[in-house]
Amino acid sequence: MAGDDKIKVDFRFAADALLNSPETSQRLFERGDISVVLYIPKDSDTQMPHARDELYVVLAGHGTFRRGKELIRFSPGDVLFVPGNTPHRFESFSGDFRTWAIFFGPKRPAA
């Protein structure tokens, strides 16, 4: 995990490192109630709901995203919001898909 005094997180360097590891995400910045994670799912999105609110900022790729019963298309530059403890996943995505996942705020109680 990167220190909280960084002025910049290098996406290309982080993406190269993540693509060459078995992991699908890497926390790159954390301070107070905010965490910034680079998320690059390999073949499918198997994540579970998170306790904190989350923003996805799509860096590359396109596909479909499900939040609860809602299904939308996404492409680079889109920002997707997910309230804490809400089931969600990228259901289909191109091979070049990469996104920032920004967690913020307090943990929400489970529903």
Side-chain angles (χ1 to χ4, degrees), residues 34-76:
I34 190 167
S35 295
V36 178
V37 173
L38 178 60
Y39 182 52
I40 305 176
K42 306 287 186 202
D43 295 312
S44 63
D45 179 359
T46 60
Q47 65 180 316
M48 302 299 289
H50 312 288
R52 296 169 66 198
D53 289 349
E54 181 177 12
L55 290 173
Y56 288 103
V57 180
V58 178
L59 297 164
H62 56 85
T64 57
F65 178 76
R66 180 172 301 277
R67 182 182 79 176
K69 294 180 181 181
E70 301 170 275
L71 183 66
I72 61 164
R73 295 194 52 72
F74 68 85
S75 58

Side-chain angles (χ1 to χ4, degrees), residues 11-23 26 38 42:
F11 161 69
R12 288 176 199 90
F13 178 79
D16 286 345
L18 190 55
L19 287 168
N20 291 313
S21 83
E23 302 299 321
Q26 181 181 13
L38 178 60
K42 306 287 186 202

Side-chain angles (χ1 to χ4, degrees), residues 23-37:
E23 302 299 321
T24 59
S25 66
Q26 181 181 13
R27 182 170 301 152
L28 298 170
F29 179 87
E30 187 165 45
R31 185 174 192 146
D33 73 347
I34 190 167
S35 295
V36 178
V37 173

